[in-house]
């Protein structure tokens, strides 16, 4: 039996605004039916757009937290993604990948595994809870890279979690440390002074 989604639900899948989905409908980019005066989009249309015309069969859900103290949050993130995929994408093969590390780091083991799966054409889509779970900076570049392998990146939710600011502060500290190391040298007195300063600010926050 065909499932139908609201424009808002479709907007979340494609990380866009509801008005953008309505524009798609009016331009004929996506088919929709009017039920009791409201637009509803058949899920088959979502599958068509996500996979360039084919059915989404293999999905990788990717979860990330910054530190080992957040392992419980990591599992909750995975639980939420599993449920989202079940409700939104239906019966698909799911590969679970997780990372513990800053979104600034490019050499994360889980991220490398995602890219390897994409290169091997073993997944049709990557699902993340929020954009910054995949990377803190350069999200659009990664999206384009995955697209080159025929893989869509789907952002399940738009609102950031409550602990978002804490992670942002931690990443800011790492950026300052990195630049201070390059400017003054990792063992210099000035480097240690800068590091102590930003760490004190983090603790006060």
């Amino acid at each position: 039996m065909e499932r139908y989604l609201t424009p808002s639900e479709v907007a979340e899948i494609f990380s866009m605004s509801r008005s953008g989905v309505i524009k798609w409908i009016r331009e004929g980019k996506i088919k929709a039916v009017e039920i009791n005066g409201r637009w509803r989009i058949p899920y088959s249309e979502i599958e068509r757009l996500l996979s360039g015309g084919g059915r989404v069969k293999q999905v990788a859900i990717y979860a990330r937290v910054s530190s080992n103290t957040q392992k419980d949050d990591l599992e909750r993130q995975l639980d939420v993604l599993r449920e989202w995929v079940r409700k939104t994408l239906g019966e698909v093969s799911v590969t679970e990948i997780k990372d513990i590390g800053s979104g600034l780091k490019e050499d994360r083991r889980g991220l490398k595994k995602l890219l390897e799966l994409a290169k091997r054409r073993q997944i049709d889509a990557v699902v993340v809870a929020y954009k910054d779970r995949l990377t803190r900076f350069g999200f659009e570049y990664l999206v384009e890279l995955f697209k080159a392998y025929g893989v869509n990146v789907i952002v399940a939710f738009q609102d950031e979690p409550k602990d978002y600011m804490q992670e942002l502060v931690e990443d800011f500290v790492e950026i300052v440390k990195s630049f201070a190391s390059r400017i003054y040298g990792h063992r210099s007195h000035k480097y240690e002074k800068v590091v102590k300063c930003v760490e004190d600010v983090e603790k006060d926050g």
Side-chain angles (χ1 to χ4, degrees), residues 100-151:
I100 297 177
S102 171
L104 297 170
K105 294 181 178 179
E106 299 174 350
D107 60 347
R108 281 170 276 145
R109 183 180 300 177
L111 180 58
K112 286 182 177 179
K113 185 175 181 181
L114 270 183
L115 289 168
E116 190 61 32
L117 289 173
K119 288 178 183 178
R120 295 178 179 178
R121 313 287 179 176
Q122 293 178 340
I123 54 175
D124 302 309
V126 173
V127 180
V128 295
Y130 310 97
K131 287 183 177 180
D132 74 314
R133 296 304 87 191
L134 191 61
T135 182
R136 181 65 71 188
F137 300 117
F139 177 80
E140 297 303 329
Y141 291 107
L142 273 181
V143 168
E144 289 303 314
L145 177 59
F146 278 108
K147 279 185 179 178
Y149 296 120
V151 177

Side-chain angles (χ1 to χ4, degrees), residues 79-179:
D79 286 341
V80 169
L81 287 172
R82 291 184 196 110
E83 183 64 11
W84 187 92
V85 168
R86 185 186 69 79
K87 286 184 176 180
T88 309
L89 301 181
E91 295 297 324
V92 296
S93 173
V94 177
T95 299
E96 297 181 7
I97 299 176
K98 53 188 178 181
D99 264 327
I100 297 177
S102 171
L104 297 170
K105 294 181 178 179
E106 299 174 350
D107 60 347
R108 281 170 276 145
R109 183 180 300 177
L111 180 58
K112 286 182 177 179
K113 185 175 181 181
L114 270 183
L115 289 168
E116 190 61 32
L117 289 173
K119 288 178 183 178
R120 295 178 179 178
R121 313 287 179 176
Q122 293 178 340
I123 54 175
D124 302 309
V126 173
V127 180
V128 295
Y130 310 97
K131 287 183 177 180
D132 74 314
R133 296 304 87 191
L134 191 61
T135 182
R136 181 65 71 188
F137 300 117
F139 177 80
E140 297 303 329
Y141 291 107
L142 273 181
V143 168
E144 289 303 314
L145 177 59
F146 278 108
K147 279 185 179 178
Y149 296 120
V151 177
N152 284 280
V153 176
I154 304 171
V155 180
F157 311 106
Q158 301 303 306
D159 296 329
E160 300 291 353
K162 292 180 179 179
D163 59 354
Y164 168 75
M165 288 306 298
Q166 177 58 33
E167 266 201 30
L168 198 59
V169 170
E170 291 173 1
D171 285 341
F172 170 74
V173 171
E174 290 302 316
I175 291 173
V176 173
K177 286 181 178 179
S178 176
F179 276 98

Side-chain angles (χ1 to χ4, degrees), residues 22-33:
I22 299 300
K23 184 178 179 182
W24 275 7
I25 294 172
R26 288 172 178 165
E27 292 176 348
K29 184 175 180 179
I30 188 170
K31 294 178 182 178
V33 296

Side-chain angles (χ1 to χ4, degrees), residues 64-75:
R64 181 189 65 78
V65 293
S66 290
S67 64
N68 284 308
T69 60
Q70 298 174 297
K71 284 186 176 179
D72 289 344
D73 292 335
L74 186 64
E75 292 307 315

